[in-house]
Amino acid sequence: MTIKFSEALLEQVRQWSKYAQTPVSLKQFVEFGRCHSPSPVTILRGNQFVQHELPVRLAHRVVELENLPHGLSDMPSIRRVKDWYTQSFEDLISFAAPEKYGVPIKALQKMSVSADVSAREKGLKYFDPGNNGNDMPELAAWNADFVKCIEKIKRRHDPTVPTVAQGVLELKQHWSRLNSPLLKTASGNPLPLPTAIQSFLDRFYLSRIGIRMLIGQTVAMHESSVDPKSNPDNYVGIICTKVKLGDIAWEAAEDARTICQDYYGVWGGPEIKFLGATDVEFMYVPSHLHHMLFELLKNSLRAVVERYGVDCDEWPEIKVVVAEGKEDLTIKISDEGGGIPRSGMPLIWTYMYTTAENPLLEAEAEGRTSDFRAPMAGYGYGLPLTRLYARYFGGDLRLISMEGYGTDAYLHLSRLSDSEEPLP
């Protein structure tokens, strides 16, 4: 069901979509929380940035969702997602300013809350701490209510990935009814999605990663301000300044092997061997790292089991090699799963190339699964999304395959932590 929004609100969306987005680097996130204890005023500064930045990012996406190629904007699931983004935009711009809570003006002097173009052109900084504000109960109340607002927004958007995927399936079904040449070749072979839609999905999901990063970091910083014990050692929000790569890789491997065992009904599954600088520590978001490694290891496990069969006495092991450079940490995951034909390599980064099972999509669209829970064989989103997570903080993902032998995946992660978000 499409939500009816006022024309005045939609005009605000169009206006805010003209504002430039403000990228934030991993280092800026950490400096904000680590160089100054998360006092109420420090939290206020971050919240004010988010209160301004999130509507801009949401407005960019709403306008794009209204103008998608090949009729994708008309699909019911896409309209539903657009309504979520519009509703979240309204929640943020209608949220009361700190002054309405009785917060003293002196706490707000260093940062204007004006949303006009001139204020934005002057620059709104994410990192701009002030006095601690521990004696301002009104400030604590505003911070708490704002965090509740963005937590609600985050929950609203939980099923966005499968819902957009459902929208693409609806478009393909529409093409099928019309016998569209966009769906199959003359010989009947399925075609990948048009480049314009592929590019949209890259932009949209990259923006989603950034939005959820901003919300997750803001919520975690607020929680650590209220209860300092809630933040584990070496964490600033959801960022760990000393991620133990070996520990995250081992957890991802165990999770992937569990999925493999459940899916194929095998005991144990292929072994995963770790080599190289697995004891390295670096600054990163552990959940992002786990997600990327899990997806890559899951793909390797599936390839090996399907090549050698579930009754194999001893599968060839999967090797995870970690190399520590000055600029990058590189993780190579090598398997002997038979590789990918050279003709198929250009397709590995395309969305929806793997046929999805409708029940899975419907379950996820209804919010019954999480972002980081994945089946053994999904709907063609694993590799494209993993590459976006890698690129979000300045890394990358590359695959080299030998048909008839196996595949090497190279996950590059930036050690410099100063790459700004590549906002679309």
Side-chain angles (χ1 to χ4, degrees):
M1 178 179 175
T2 302
I3 303 173
K4 184 69 174 178
F5 296 102
S6 70
E7 184 56 39
L9 176 66
L10 298 178
E11 179 57 35
Q12 280 186 293
V13 170
R14 289 188 284 270
Q15 183 63 39
W16 280 68
S17 71
K18 298 175 184 177
Y19 300 153
Q21 301 171 94
T22 306
V24 183
S25 70
L26 193 63
K27 186 178 291 185
Q28 286 175 310
F29 276 122
V30 171
E31 284 179 349
F32 177 76
R34 188 168 62 179
C35 296
H36 297 262
S37 60
S39 67
V41 167
T42 301
I43 298 300
L44 170 70
R45 305 304 180 202
N47 288 348
Q48 285 182 306
F49 172 83
V50 172
Q51 189 184 14
H52 282 265
E53 181 61 19
L54 278 183
V56 176
R57 298 190 186 194
L58 293 169
H60 276 252
R61 302 283 70 81
V62 171
V63 170
E64 184 168 37
L65 287 165
E66 288 176 340
N67 298 282
L68 296 177
H70 303 291
L72 182 57
S73 295
D74 298 327
M75 298 301 107
S77 293
I78 299 299
R79 291 201 300 267
R80 185 180 309 125
V81 171
K82 186 187 72 172
D83 287 346
W84 292 343
Y85 274 66
T86 306
Q87 183 63 62
S88 297
F89 174 89
E90 183 178 28
D91 290 352
L92 286 163
I93 64 168
S94 63
F95 191 82
E99 300 98 311
K100 300 294 184 182
Y101 277 64
V103 178
I105 296 298
K106 66 179 181 180
L108 308 171
Q109 287 175 345
K110 287 195 174 183
M111 183 179 292
S112 169
V113 293
S114 172
D116 61 40
V117 180
S118 61
R120 297 199 59 83
E121 288 175 347
K122 291 176 183 176
L124 187 62
K125 303 296 184 183
Y126 176 70
F127 180 51
D128 186 18
N131 297 325
N132 62 43
N134 286 322
D135 57 345
M136 301 179 195
E138 302 89 352
L139 181 52
W142 187 85
N143 283 336
D145 285 352
F146 180 75
V147 165
K148 288 178 184 177
C149 173
I150 60 176
E151 285 181 313
K152 180 181 177 182
I153 288 171
K154 189 170 185 286
R155 288 192 300 272
R156 176 184 295 138
H157 291 253
D158 278 344
T160 292
V161 172
T163 306
V164 171
Q166 183 66 42
V168 176
L169 276 181
E170 291 165 0
L171 180 62
K172 294 179 80 171
Q173 291 164 358
H174 175 67
W175 288 344
S176 179
R177 291 191 293 270
L178 298 177
N179 292 320
S180 171
L182 295 171
L183 195 62
K184 296 180 180 179
T185 64
S187 58
N189 294 321
L191 286 169
L193 290 172
T195 302
I197 293 181
Q198 297 281 357
S199 298
F200 153 70
L201 292 172
D202 271 342
R203 291 191 303 272
F204 183 82
Y205 290 132
L206 190 60
S207 172
R208 171 181 162 80
I209 293 171
I211 288 171
R212 294 180 79 81
M213 178 69 199
L214 269 182
I215 293 176
Q217 184 68 4
T218 302
V219 171
M221 288 295 296
H222 176 262
E223 290 174 350
S224 67
S225 173
V226 175
D227 179 13
K229 295 180 181 178
S230 67
N231 228 27
D233 291 341
N234 301 318
Y235 270 77
V236 180
I238 61 175
I239 301 166
C240 182
T241 58
K242 292 184 178 180
V243 173
K244 295 181 179 180
L245 192 149
D247 290 352
I248 301 294
W250 184 85
E251 291 172 7
E254 289 300 298
D255 290 345
R257 292 184 80 222
T258 299
I259 291 286
C260 178
Q261 292 165 16
D262 291 346
Y263 187 83
Y264 292 108
V266 298
W267 176 255
E271 293 293 326
I272 299 175
K273 185 176 182 179
F274 297 93
L275 303 166
T278 56
D279 59 347
V280 68
E281 296 181 350
F282 71 118
M283 184 164 66
Y284 211 72
V285 182
S287 60
H288 288 194
L289 180 59
H290 181 281
H291 174 68
M292 293 184 287
L293 293 174
F294 171 79
E295 282 293 335
L296 296 174
L297 289 167
K298 177 170 63 72
N299 287 348
S300 290
L301 287 165
R302 177 167 56 88
V304 170
V305 171
E306 292 186 355
R307 183 186 187 194
Y308 291 91
V310 296
D311 297 323
C312 180
D313 292 331
E314 186 176 359
W315 294 279
E317 65 187 9
I318 295 165
K319 297 182 179 68
V320 178
V321 184
V322 180
E324 183 179 7
K326 291 182 179 179
E327 293 185 5
D328 283 355
L329 285 174
T330 301
I331 305 168
K332 180 175 75 168
I333 298 176
S334 301
D335 66 58
E336 297 178 29
I340 303 167
R342 194 155 52 93
S343 61
M345 288 301 291
L347 302 174
I348 62 175
W349 307 114
T350 60
Y351 297 89
M352 302 299 293
Y353 190 69
T354 299
T355 303
E357 296 182 4
N358 287 336
L360 170 67
L361 278 178
E362 290 169 2
E364 292 195 338
E366 293 170 8
R368 299 201 300 268
T369 64
S370 69
D371 261 11
F372 292 148
R373 182 186 179 278
M376 199 63 196
Y379 41 83
Y381 270 45
L383 281 177
L385 283 181
T386 299
R387 185 169 66 168
L388 291 182
Y389 273 99
R391 289 179 171 178
Y392 178 68
F393 281 129
D396 206 354
L397 173 63
R398 303 177 189 277
L399 261 65
I400 298 176
S401 188
M402 295 174 63
E403 185 183 9
Y405 182 77
T407 301
D408 290 345
Y410 291 85
L411 178 61
H412 302 279
L413 305 174
S414 174
R415 299 195 68 182
L416 303 179
S417 305
D418 56 359
S419 297
E420 291 186 336
E421 303 169 276
L423 299 177

